[in-house]
């Protein structure tokens, strides 16, 4: 497969967290873009922050392997407990990051391309402001998955976020494009203020699904504990979602919100619940 | 004490008619002096460079409550958009379209500016304005309280009580430590208290039995009655709408027959601000077109009027104005977040982010309109560079505006990026204008002219002995102007030197000192007026939500004042 | 002879009454009488001169007791704590003046600290809503002069803001509202039938935690859509009736309180309230306002916005750029995650207001309290620096809940030797500059890169 060929040509940098920080670490330099073209020793000199204290990455991690020639040729594997390492993969444009365990906030934040695979859980704000690429979380994610940063009305624009477990609140706030697929349940607020994109919740949603939403699609396979009064059922449809076809009840909304008119017809957001 | 000699620069000082002569400028104890008065000066070598007085901005929104809402409610205006702190500055510089107070001061200084007139101070919020002035480093500030929707003003002018209105105006200038009479959408912002507007100058103001036209005339009369340094400063009704140029012309005509009365060298009775927003023809966004020619023909023929551009810079920015109904209108056009503050008895304000895109026809027409106004002007001592910061674009884009004015090639370069170039050319005159302004004309538009219109040209805007030693040196050689317009922009963005009050403040575009800044205000003596005192007492007793004694700015909240005294008692 | 000080501002709640008359004893040391204030306001003044005041900073000793030290020693201690910490947190500012807040920001920027205020645990959600949706508001005098419909949503001014209704909303006679209460319709929305609900013309008992749904229903009705029979415990007919009143108002104000911004969904409840306010402005004039709690809790949001562009939760640890993201840089989140290693509690009582786990984490590191009085925070601190009481002993600018700046006066002198918050921070700043200079002198090479502590 072509995909495998690409992977084979990649160079791998393995970071092992051997000397954890006392408080936290901000690791925005841990991206294929920053590692590309650098030898292990140079990578070890990149900055990470613990509060106001700036230190070299090598103070906390052992670094094995060199970066590839470009970001796309660089794969980063993180070992050790990264539960308190933030901002891994922030703004990355290409390449791959594999986090063997948990990771902290902002994983894949403002990501433009490439792929991140987290085998454990992540904290809040993962995939925030995402524009492209793929973010896969095998465990759970906390709040603001694929949401927009504070005040930004141009939220997630593209890419794919897949969380196998459950997520906290404020998923996909101001989503404008791209796809988010949650394997488990979602807490309150899904696609609030959304104006595009697709969110799939395969478990239950607690409520406030599609509030103040202008455009875009949401699928909920389980139940919505508190549905919004601004959504109105308009029929039943069969749809293919994430590779399977199923029958859904189709709602439009949020009727309380403004909606654009396209070719003489009002465009609403769509909410589909599986029957 | 400290002496400086700025040697061998090409000096442009329209106030003295100096047009690029190679001259030395002497500075002693914070003032410009004859070079012969210097004993042992430090020397700044300005050979091959352009020397001008420190820049003067006649209209910019830099301090106060609506500016601050603009900062507060736009975290996305900072994220990944703020520069890292300069090691030579004492404070961080956050923000882009609405910079922090610190960034405001530093950036103006880097561009060689020393005086910025805050365009709209809600009187009730004057302590806030002065707190922000305190935290805006380097540049001197004045702030104009808004009068055009003030209940006292409406009531006095309804009955043609100019003397009472003058007494109230003098009182309010002192209470707020304000600079002059600002008028924003006269009557319209009061109507906005009910969700309404006064679109045309003869629309009556609800419940107040007066029209915008009468407010404008009454405030011109008040201004000249008092003999203030600056004239009535007008933001016309019907801002930003297709076809509004007729309303603008009607507003301009209201100044006919009035002559300036003042001891400050000011020659206009009306300053019309951000004229670009008021010069549109057509009757819808589909057929909107430039009417800058009609407007400037009128302005050129009437020397009791000054104007500033309000140039659109084609950026993402934050609009903010005391024109409350306009911002409400704008939020329905772009559906973005909207802040509004109606201020009891006085004014209103709205704030909405806005993106002027080269891909949008209306925006590129607006861009052309602004430049045409300046390029059609026959008197650049009466036509000033502004972007109505941050409304049509941030002030940090002045260097780009200057470059567009000075270079047809720069304009062509920008027009190449327009999606609707043909439609823009069709709807405007910009493509038929070859005029390129000179450095002398730029000096008129950015220091000499605004200083004169503000009535402060004895202190700012020129380089005559006795004036403040505010001198900007730009790395531009008038005898060898760069063929690349980007080099002009670069030179005006970061001056080689700025001397402020005799202190070397910027060197090679970096801040090297933060000399104490000043607050300029106007103190007018008027005869005692028992009726006005009673009216003030009554309104505060019944209608304000604060006590009269807590309303006037406490002396301790006025920072490093420079008072301009006016005697209107006789 | 006692003397009367007039037009005094009340340093208690966000109503910021500025019409108090305070009678002061002959020697200018005691407050004898306070006129015009409500009972709480009254108490604040009497409390100031009632009991014994702490007059000197107190430093915790190895045996657990406090020992009096000089201000110089306290300033030096505080500066060193800030200097050495990797991520210090300066939090509070519920009750101080804007001058103090500006000085504290200077310290935080120099020290590379996180700077946060009490909004973080109350009306921070209002800021989040403003970021996302704006804030169509007005000054309180506008409401008094024009409003014919008033909504209190999740707010109980009868208890929390005693003079709010009489000064600004329900009862006063204004320019266009000469009939006062008679000319106004009062709507109260609250899960509890509060004392404020007693004076309402219409009371909606919204189901706890379902305000968002009710707003959504109002918005749908305002746009002419059908809604279910019952939403959030309220019958459709009643929603339709109220929506009609809202649309037909001449001028309305929605005042909302912690009931809205602190129940499930927090900022989104405020956000959709703002959306409804926006919608209603297509029909008539509507405004919305947060019922901010303390008299100057609006202040830090104003001051830090003009200084950094962010109203709260400012992470200044990078010292060259500010970062804000509540949920990460908010005090409680930082404390719960054990992300800070020094704490300054100023003008509030984090000891009483923070969750116990947050307090436990913070207690592992140096804790300094700057406060006029003994409070829970001061008693678990390593250092307590007493200061003058703003609005009583220290003048200054405060911002009322509607962002109107009010100039507060000084009524009596602080206890001898006691200085202001502003002076404490200015002196800490000065000391920090000295520490920095000492370090540069010691190790000029190592000290060069910003943010790196020598020897670590
Ligand atoms: S209402 Fe608030 S501000 Fe007014 S007196 Fe009472 S406590 Fe003080
Ligand atoms: Zn303006």
């Amino acid at each position: 497969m072509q995909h495998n060929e690409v992977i084979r040509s990649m160079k791998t940098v393995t970071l092992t967290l051997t000397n954890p920080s006392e408080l936290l670490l901000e690791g925005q330099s841990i991206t294929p873009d920053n590692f590309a073209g650098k030898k292990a020793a140079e990578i070890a000199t990149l900055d990470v922050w613990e509060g106001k204290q700036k230190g070299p990455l090598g103070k906390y991690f052992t670094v094995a392997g060199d970066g590839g020639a470009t970001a796309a040729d660089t794969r980063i594997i993180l070992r050790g407990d990264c539960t308190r390492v933030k901002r891994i993969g922030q703004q990355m444009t290409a390449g791959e990051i594999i986090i063997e365990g948990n990771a902290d906030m902002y994983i894949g934040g403002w990501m433009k391309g490439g792929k991140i695979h987290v085998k454990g859980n992540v904290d809040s704000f993962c995939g925030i402001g995402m524009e492209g690429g793929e973010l896969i979380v095998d465990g759970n994610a906390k709040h603001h998955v694929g949401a927009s940063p504070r005040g930004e009305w141009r939220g997630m624009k593209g890419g794919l976020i897949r969380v196998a477990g459950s997520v906290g609140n404020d998923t996909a706030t101001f989503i404008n494009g791209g796809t988010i697929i949650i394997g488990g349940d979602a807490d309150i607020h899904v696609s609030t203020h959304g104006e595009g994109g697709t969110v799939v919740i395969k478990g239950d949603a607690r409520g406030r699904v599609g509030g103040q939403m202008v455009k875009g699609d949401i699928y909920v396979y389980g139940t919505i504990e508190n549905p919004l009064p601004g959504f109105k059922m308009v029929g039943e449809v069969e749809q293919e979602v994430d590779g399977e076809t199923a029958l859904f009840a189709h709602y439009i909304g949020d009727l309380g919100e403004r909606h654009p008119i396209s070719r003489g017809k009002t465009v609403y957001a769509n909410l589909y619940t599986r029957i | 004490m400290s002496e400086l000699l700025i040697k061998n620069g090409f000096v442009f000082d329209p106030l003295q008619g100096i047009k690029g002569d190679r001259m030395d400028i002497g500075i002693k104890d914070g003032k410009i002096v004859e070079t012969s008065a210097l004993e042992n000066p430090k020397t700044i070598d300005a050979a091959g460079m352009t020397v001008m007085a420190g820049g003067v901005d006649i209209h910019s929104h830099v301090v106060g409550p609506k500016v601050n809402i603009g900062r507060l409610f736009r975290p996305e205006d900072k994220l990944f958009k703020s520069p890292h702190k300069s090691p030579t500055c004492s404070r961080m510089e956050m923000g882009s379209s609405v910079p922090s107070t610190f960034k405001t001061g530093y950036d103006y200084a880097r561009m060689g500016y020393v005086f910025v007139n805050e365009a709209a101070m809600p009187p009730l919020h004057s302590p806030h304005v002065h707190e922000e002035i305190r935290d805006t480093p380097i540049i001197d500030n004045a702030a104009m309280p808004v009068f055009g929707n003030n209940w006292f003003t409406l009531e006095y002018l309804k009955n043609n009580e100019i003397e009472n209105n003058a007494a109230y105006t003098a009182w309010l200038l002192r209470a707020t430590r304000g600079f002059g009479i600002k008028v924003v959408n006269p009557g319209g912002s009061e109507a906005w208290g009910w969700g309404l507007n006064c679109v045309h100058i003869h629309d009556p103001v609800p419940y107040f039995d007066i029209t915008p036209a009468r407010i404008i005339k009454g405030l011109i009369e008040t201004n000249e009655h008092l003999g203030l340094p600056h004239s009535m400063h007008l933001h016309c009704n019907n801002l930003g709408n297709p076809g509004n140029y007729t309303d603008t012309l009607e507003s301009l005509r209201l100044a006919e027959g009035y002559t300036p009365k003042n001891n400050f060298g000011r020659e206009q009775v009306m300053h019309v601000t951000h004229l670009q927003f008021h010069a549109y023809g057509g009757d819808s966004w589909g057929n909107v077109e430039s009417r800058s020619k009609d407007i400037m023909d009128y302005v050129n023929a009437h020397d009791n009027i000054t104007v500033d551009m309000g140039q659109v810079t084609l950026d993402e920015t934050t609009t903010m104005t005391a024109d409350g109904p306009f911002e409400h209108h704008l939020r329905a056009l772009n559906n973005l977040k909207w802040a509004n503050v109606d201020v009891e008895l006085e004014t209103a304000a709205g704030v909405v982010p806005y993106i002027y895109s080269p891909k949008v026809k209306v925006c590129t027409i607006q861009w052309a309109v602004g430049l045409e106004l300046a390029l059609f002007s026959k008197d650049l001592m009466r036509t000033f560079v502004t972007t109505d910061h941050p409304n049509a674009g941030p002030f940090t884009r002045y260097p780009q505006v200057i470059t567009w004015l000075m270079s047809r090639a720069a304009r062509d370069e920008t027009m190449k990026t327009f999606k609707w170039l043909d439609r823009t050319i069709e709807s405007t005159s910009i493509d038929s204008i070859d005029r390129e302004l000179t450095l002398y004309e730029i000096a008129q538009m950015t220091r000499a002219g605004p200083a004169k219109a503000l009535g402060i040209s004895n202190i700012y805007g020129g380089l005559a002995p006795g004036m403040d030693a505010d001198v900007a040196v730009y790395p531009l050689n008038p005898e060898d102007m760069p063929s690349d317009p980007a080099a002009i922009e670069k030179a005006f963005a970061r001056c080689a030197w700025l001397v402020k009050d005799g202190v070397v403040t910027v060197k090679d575009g970096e801040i090297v000192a933060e000399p104490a800044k000043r607050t300029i205000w106007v103190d007018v003596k008027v005869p005692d007026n028992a009726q006005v005192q009673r009216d003030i007492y009554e309104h505060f007793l019944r209608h304000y939500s604060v006590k009269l004694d807590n309303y006037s700015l406490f002396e301790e909240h006025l920072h490093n004042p420079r008072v301009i005294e006016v005697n209107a008692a006789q | 002879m006692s003397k009367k000080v007039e037009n005094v501002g009340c340093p208690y709640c966000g109503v910021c009454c500025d019409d108090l008359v305070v009678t002061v004893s002959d020697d200018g040391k005691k407050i004898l009488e306070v006129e015009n204030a409500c009972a709480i306001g009254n108490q604040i003044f009497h409390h100031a001169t009632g009991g014994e005041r702490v007059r000197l900073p107190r430093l915790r000793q190895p045996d657990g007791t406090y020992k009096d030290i000089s201000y110089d020693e306290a300033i030096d201690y505080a500066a060193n704590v800030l200097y050495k910490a990797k991520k210090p947190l300066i939090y509070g500012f519920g009750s101080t003046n804007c001058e103090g807040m500006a000085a504290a920001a200077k310290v935080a920027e120099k020290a590379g600290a996180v700077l946060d205020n009490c909004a973080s645990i109350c009306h921070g959600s209002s800021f989040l809503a403003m970021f996302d949706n704006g804030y169509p508001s007005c000054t309180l005098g506008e409401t008094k002069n024009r409003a014919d419909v008033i909504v209190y949503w999740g707010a109980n001014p009868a208890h929390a803001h005693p003079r709010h209704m009489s000064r600004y909303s329900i009862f006063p006679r204004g320019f266009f509202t000469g009939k006062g209460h008679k000319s106004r319709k009062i709507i109260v929305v609250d899960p509890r039938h509060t004392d404020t609900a007693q004076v309402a013309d219409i009371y909606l008992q919204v189901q706890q935690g379902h305000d968002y749904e009710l707003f959504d229903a109002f918005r749908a009705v305002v746009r002419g859509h059908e809604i279910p029979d019952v939403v959030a415990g309220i019958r459709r007919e009643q929603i339709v009736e109220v929506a009609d009143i809202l649309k037909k108002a001449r001028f309305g104000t929605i005042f909302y309180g912690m009931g809205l911004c602190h129940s499930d969904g927090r900022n989104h409840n405020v956000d959709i309230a703002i959306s409804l306010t926006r919608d209603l402005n297509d029909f008539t004039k509507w405004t919305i306002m947060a019922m901010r709690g303390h008299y100057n809790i609006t202040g830090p949001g104003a001051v830090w916005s003009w200084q950094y562009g962010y109203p709260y939760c400012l992470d200044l640890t990078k010292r060259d750029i500010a970062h804000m993201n509540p949920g990460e840089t908010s005090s409680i989140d930082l404390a719960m995650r054990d992300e800070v290693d020094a704490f300054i509690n100023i003008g509030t009582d984090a000891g009483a207001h923070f969750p116990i786990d947050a307090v436990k984490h913070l207690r592992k590191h140096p804790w300094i309290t700057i406060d006029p009085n003994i409070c829970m925070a001061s008693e678990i601190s390593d250092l307590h620096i007493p200061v003058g009481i703003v609005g009583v002993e220290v003048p200054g600018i405060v911002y009322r809940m509607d962002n109107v700046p009010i100039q507060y006066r000084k009524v009596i002198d602080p206890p001898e030797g006691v200085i202001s918050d502003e002076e404490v921070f200015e002196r800490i700043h000065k000391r920090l500059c000295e520490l920095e200079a000492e370090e540069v002198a010691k190790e000029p090479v190592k000290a060069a890169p910003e943010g790196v502590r020598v020897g670590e």
Side-chain angles (χ1 to χ4, degrees), chain B residues 192 337 340 342 344 554, chain C residues 131 137 139 250 285 407 409:
Chain B
W192 174 238
K337 50 186 158 187
N340 177 79
D342 292 354
E344 61 209 57
F554 294 1
Chain C
F131 299 159
S137 193
T139 67
R250 292 203 310 157
K285 188 60 188 272
Q407 304 172 88
R409 295 160 192 278

Side-chain angles (χ1 to χ4, degrees), chain A residues 127-138:
Chain A
I128 179 177
M130 190 164 173
E131 291 180 30
E134 237 180 290
L135 170 62
I136 312 291
V137 178
D138 292 348

Side-chain angles (χ1 to χ4, degrees), chain B residues 59 61 119 182 273-274 388 391:
Chain B
H59 187 109
H61 301 269
K182 176 68 185 301
T273 188
H274 42 67
D388 188 20
N391 284 296

Side-chain angles (χ1 to χ4, degrees), chain C residues 10-17 20 36-38 40-41 161-164:
Chain C
C10 168
Y12 188 72
C13 86
V15 174
C16 292
C17 302
L20 276 46
N36 297 343
C38 71
I40 323 176
H161 298 89
R163 296 181 68 205
H164 193 266

